[in-house]
Amino acid sequence: MKVSLQRVTEASAIVLNEFGTPDPTFDMVQIGPGLVLTVEVEPDDGEGTLARMAHRVLTLRCFDGPQGRLSLSVQEMHGEILSIPQPLTTLRRSAVGRPQLVSHDAYDEHANLIWIRFNEALQSGDVPVCEGRFGARMRVGSVADGPFQFTLQE
């Protein structure tokens, strides 16, 4: 599992339909101060992986507090999380032509289930979690608090 985190003052996501306009079956989600997560699930990820990664995200000290810079976690500062699923993709280089990004659709069901369970683990830490939609094209907007962006990998 790979999780890219960005500290934000606000963020939102909306699902787009096949025409590139907002999908009427999905209400836009918004958060205030907190983290935007881009979550990539790998084929061998399981319950143990998602539990460890959720704990790392919830307890990572990446917000300023009374004790100084980077002294509070998203849990401690009562922040929010916007979780966006990232499809597993690899870069295929051919002998001629341009490299191509290739999606691994065979793992979609597994990845969706692990992503849902990961979000549930985050919510169990008393942090509000808003979600995008797995497999959907989305428009994600955020106001970065930093720059402060990094990646955790299991």
Side-chain angles (χ1 to χ4, degrees):
M1 178 178 277
K2 186 188 301 185
V3 179
S4 295
L5 299 96
Q6 182 177 27
R7 188 174 68 184
V8 298
T9 57
E10 62 185 65
S12 64
I14 190 157
V15 171
L16 303 177
N17 62 23
E18 64 273 8
F19 304 111
T21 59
D23 186 335
T25 66
F26 185 89
D27 291 330
M28 181 172 72
V29 292
Q30 295 180 307
I31 65 166
L35 297 171
V36 172
L37 309 180
T38 305
V39 182
E40 185 176 308
V41 175
E42 296 179 3
D44 59 346
D45 289 339
E47 292 291 323
T49 302
L50 72 88
R52 286 188 301 274
M53 191 62 78
H55 177 74
R56 289 173 69 188
V57 169
L58 290 171
T59 60
L60 181 69
R61 296 184 184 278
C62 57
F63 293 93
D64 300 340
Q67 296 84 14
R69 295 194 67 208
L70 306 180
S71 62
L72 296 176
S73 68
V74 69
Q75 258 182 333
E76 295 166 329
M77 58 89 65
H78 306 289
E80 299 174 283
I81 292 175
L82 174 58
S83 179
I84 304 296
Q86 172 69 42
L88 181 61
T89 55
T90 55
L91 186 63
R92 182 189 316 157
R93 296 187 184 274
S94 60
V96 295
R98 291 189 257 177
Q100 289 182 317
L101 283 176
V102 179
S103 178
H104 299 277
D105 295 333
Y107 302 112
D108 281 356
E109 189 174 322
H110 167 75
N112 188 26
L113 177 63
I114 294 297
W115 177 67
I116 290 169
R117 297 282 299 126
F118 174 70
N119 292 336
E120 290 170 353
L122 293 170
Q123 290 170 342
S124 72
D126 292 327
V127 174
V129 177
C130 292
E131 301 173 345
R133 181 183 289 166
F134 191 88
R137 182 172 169 218
M138 289 173 271
R139 185 172 296 137
V140 180
S142 64
V143 177
D145 181 15
F148 197 93
Q149 184 173 353
F150 53 96
T151 301
L152 298 174
Q153 191 163 356
E154 176 77 18

